[in-house]
Amino acid sequence: MAEVTALFRYPIKGLSAEPLAELTLARNAGLAFDREFALALGTTAFDPQHPEPLDKGFFLMLRSNEVMATLTTRFEPETGLLTVKRDGQTVLTEDVTTEAGREAVEHYFEALVGPAARGRPRLVRAAGHKFTDGSVISPAFMRAVSLINLASIRALEERTGTPIHPLRFRANIYVDGLAPWEELGWIGREVSVGGLRLRGLARTPRCAAIDVNPETAERDTHLPKALKRHFGHVDLGIYLEVLADGTLAVGDRLEFVPEDSNSGT
């Protein structure tokens, strides 16, 4: 039986994962503090008072700015403190709820990324808005969580002969105990994880961001091309819609909800 092996959130789009023992999910809000912030390019127009979903290309991100993978970051929702480490050393600690703190973060990333930042990036946030890749599709995708089947990663490793770190795929939920690629058939189906109901929304197509090694920050693979060559698609993982408020934890079992008891929500 499939089991949750790891859980993560990503408070700032493009920056490092934060491991969690459990995730508290809400139907109308998704996962709190996941992709809550983003670093908008200096040329990006984003109005926090009237937020509009934008393609990830309008923000700093791993697909274009692999240097971001050299950082380990930690955000404390209770205090608003963002801590940034590089090579094990703390290089920045700022309260991003203050204007001065946000400006310090923006200046740091302008220097780190260089001309690719297109000027000073802005650390942006908007009430009820998430900077997920799926936000441009619909509100349901904006609030969705992502899942990776570790067996699918192992199948890709076998075909490429290359070890693949699971965090390349930046998912919220990692599960093991499934057959390879089984998760791709869950679209429209409901699953229960620790009693929490979720529904498959869509397969997750992969871009060059997964070629960035989260341990070395080097662009050292061609995984989207390998997926297409070996499996006929560029998908790995799925998006899940949250059907009701609840909590799931590492070690929870995953089960299908019988079709005659699907909520139809």
Side-chain angles (χ1 to χ4, degrees):
M1 183 176 291
E3 179 178 297
V4 175
T5 61
L7 298 167
F8 296 93
R9 71 180 175 197
Y10 307 80
I12 300 179
K13 185 178 185 67
L15 294 181
S16 64
E18 294 186 359
L20 298 172
E22 62 180 29
L23 300 184
T24 298
L25 305 178
R27 180 185 174 191
N28 294 325
L31 172 60
F33 300 105
D34 187 56
R35 280 80 172 187
E36 187 87 2
F37 299 86
L39 285 154
L41 297 175
T43 53
T44 296
F46 180 83
D47 182 356
Q49 302 305 314
H50 302 92
E52 294 289 338
L54 295 174
D55 180 82
K56 57 188 174 183
F58 286 92
F59 305 95
L60 296 184
M61 56 168 181
L62 289 175
R63 186 181 71 189
S64 302
N65 315 112
E66 62 265 32
V67 68
M68 297 172 72
T70 64
L71 307 177
T72 302
T73 56
R74 183 75 184 176
F75 175 68
E76 300 175 13
E78 301 81 8
T79 63
L81 284 180
L82 173 68
T83 300
V84 180
K85 293 185 177 182
R86 191 174 190 185
D87 298 326
Q89 301 297 314
T90 299
V91 295
L92 191 73
T93 301
E94 294 291 342
D95 181 353
V96 298
T97 66
T98 69
E99 183 176 355
R102 291 190 295 273
E103 286 184 359
V105 171
E106 292 165 359
H107 284 299
Y108 177 80
F109 279 93
E110 182 181 14
L112 178 74
V113 175
R118 301 180 190 175
R120 189 177 110 192
R122 286 192 305 137
L123 184 64
V124 292
R125 182 188 197 185
H129 187 87
K130 289 184 178 295
F131 297 95
T132 57
D133 289 349
S135 65
V136 295
I137 301 174
S138 72
F141 274 89
M142 181 183 291
R143 298 187 296 266
V145 291
S146 55
L147 177 143
I148 288 290
N149 173 6
L150 292 174
S152 298
I153 296 179
R154 290 193 291 268
L156 183 57
E157 286 179 324
E158 182 178 350
R159 291 294 184 92
T160 61
T162 303
I164 299 171
H165 197 299
L167 281 180
R168 286 181 185 262
F169 303 97
R170 300 179 62 79
N172 300 118
I173 305 168
Y174 288 80
V175 300
D176 211 351
L178 297 169
W181 312 112
E182 181 178 340
E183 74 283 5
L184 299 185
W186 293 2
I187 310 310
R189 297 189 65 179
E190 288 189 25
V191 294
S192 173
V193 186
L196 179 68
R197 284 194 174 189
L198 305 163
R199 179 165 54 208
L201 269 179
R203 293 154 60 144
T204 307
R206 294 298 172 177
C207 69
I210 64 173
D211 288 328
V212 179
N213 189 318
E215 295 181 304
T216 67
E218 295 179 0
R219 198 176 295 276
D220 58 5
T221 62
H222 300 282
L223 293 179
K225 291 182 179 178
L227 282 165
K228 185 67 174 178
R229 181 169 63 252
H230 295 297
F231 300 102
H233 58 75
V234 295
D235 305 325
L236 201 152
I238 60 170
Y239 291 109
L240 294 165
E241 180 181 8
V242 181
L243 297 180
D245 298 358
T247 300
L248 60 91
V250 172
D252 281 348
R253 298 294 182 90
L254 186 149
E255 299 176 329
F256 284 110
V257 177
E259 292 191 12
D260 59 1
S261 64
N262 280 359
S263 67
T265 304

